[in-house]
Amino acid sequence: MNATADEAPVLLRREGRAGHLVLNRPRAINALNHAMVRIMADTFDAWEHDEAVAAVVLTGAGERGLCAGGDIRSIHDDVRAGRPAASAAFWHDEYLLNARIARFPKPYVAVMDGIVMGGGVGVSAHGSVRVVTERSRVAMPETGIGFVPDVGGTYLLTRTPGELGTHLALTGSPVGAGDALLCGLADHFVPSERLPEFTAALADTEVTDAVRQFATAAPAGELAAHREWIDHCYAADSVEEIVDRLHASGDRHAKEAAETILAKSPTSLKVTLAALRRARELPSLEAVLEQEYRVSCAALASPDLAEGIRAQVVDKDRRPRWSPADLAQVTEADVARHFERTPDGSLGLV
């Protein structure tokens, strides 16, 4: 492979009956940009109708993870430069890709090794065969940057047992392999040292047979032991009541969750809870993605998105100045505007 090909943001190769997509921005933990989304979409167009490709395999270059999410620095730059349409166009194509992955007619094997967050969840957790390892750290951390879970995240998180998804959405906390399996974000555990053998086997082995050969029991997770306080506290109707219940529960882990939540964007927290509750009532992933597109585009007009990215990624001072600064100042109208029809149109999925 020549130097130009090696520098491509997504590497494509064929090994026997498997087509491999390798996210190739290792210095950015393979954060997704618009070019990568377009390459993946074009590749799906080709491989879906190629009888020689029996399965598609997604991996990430480097040792740190599959994908740390969308390229949020570029979103920050778009907002600051007054060109929100560029970010809206990225999300439009990204969410269509998420829907495409969920409906892809051939086995889609996502190797969720290492960090898998935000947009990384979108290109993996909608797949038909989702593999985690002992190194996996899976999260939807958007409330920490003044944003709201997207890429079908509110669909996935509302289909977890009990209120686990609400806990993960509001806190943005990452989970390991055991809890990813519990929450339905992954299907199989393969030790990281066996990944090269597993992916190589897909060249001439049916996916189900390869999984049977290499998958094993995952390490125990942590969330199951906390279901009692999680399900009680997060069933509340408002973020304020959720926080009050967490503080009142008497459980140390619940109090820590409350403090974690209170450090996030108040607007993002309230919009996230509303988005989750609404997503529960929507009939399909496509309908949820349409809702998320409206919410994401509305977030571009919120000061918290640029500020959250500044604090976490640009200046890295980890001291965001949220506006409004506390939950009580976020009105119902502030939340409602995020669900209004966007001037950027719709995804056309429903």
Side-chain angles (χ1 to χ4, degrees), residues 309-327:
I309 299 172
R310 178 207 64 77
Q312 296 297 331
V313 177
V314 180
D315 296 338
K316 299 182 180 179
D317 59 22
R318 308 292 192 266
R319 298 177 64 183
R321 296 180 290 274
W322 305 125
S323 179
D326 60 68
L327 289 165

Side-chain angles (χ1 to χ4, degrees), residues 16-38:
R17 63 201 304 277
H20 288 256
L21 291 160
V22 184
L23 304 182
N24 189 40
R25 297 182 67 210
R27 293 180 62 182
I29 319 181
N30 304 314
L32 290 174
N33 58 31
H34 209 159
M36 297 166 76
V37 168
R38 290 186 179 116

Side-chain angles (χ1 to χ4, degrees), residues 32-97:
L32 290 174
N33 58 31
H34 209 159
M36 297 166 76
V37 168
R38 290 186 179 116
I39 291 169
M40 293 179 71
D42 289 345
T43 303
F44 288 149
D45 287 341
W47 286 354
E48 178 177 348
H49 303 290
D50 187 340
E51 294 183 358
V53 176
V56 174
V57 185
L58 179 74
T59 56
E63 298 297 321
R64 299 168 67 189
L66 171 66
C67 176
D71 188 351
I72 58 175
R73 183 182 287 269
S74 69
I75 294 171
H76 170 272
D77 294 344
D78 288 343
V79 173
R80 292 294 298 272
R83 50 173 189 267
S87 290
F90 165 65
W91 287 326
H92 180 278
D93 291 347
E94 183 186 24
Y95 300 172
L96 290 180
L97 180 68

Side-chain angles (χ1 to χ4, degrees), residues 104-123:
F104 197 67
K106 299 178 181 181
Y108 179 89
V109 183
V111 179
M112 302 169 69
D113 186 35
I115 292 172
V116 186
M117 296 185 178
V121 174
V123 294

Side-chain angles (χ1 to χ4, degrees), residues 193-248:
E193 63 183 15
R194 301 209 71 189
L195 287 179
E197 296 175 82
F198 169 67
T199 55
L202 296 172
D204 56 12
T205 305
E206 291 285 347
V207 171
T208 52
D209 293 334
V211 167
R212 191 178 302 112
Q213 180 180 353
F214 291 96
T216 186
E222 301 174 4
L223 290 177
H226 302 296
R227 281 288 303 280
E228 184 174 355
W229 64 260
I230 286 175
D231 288 351
H232 168 70
C233 295
Y234 289 97
D237 292 331
S238 69
V239 179
E240 290 94 332
E241 187 180 350
I242 288 172
V243 171
D244 288 345
R245 288 188 184 187
L246 290 169
H247 276 135

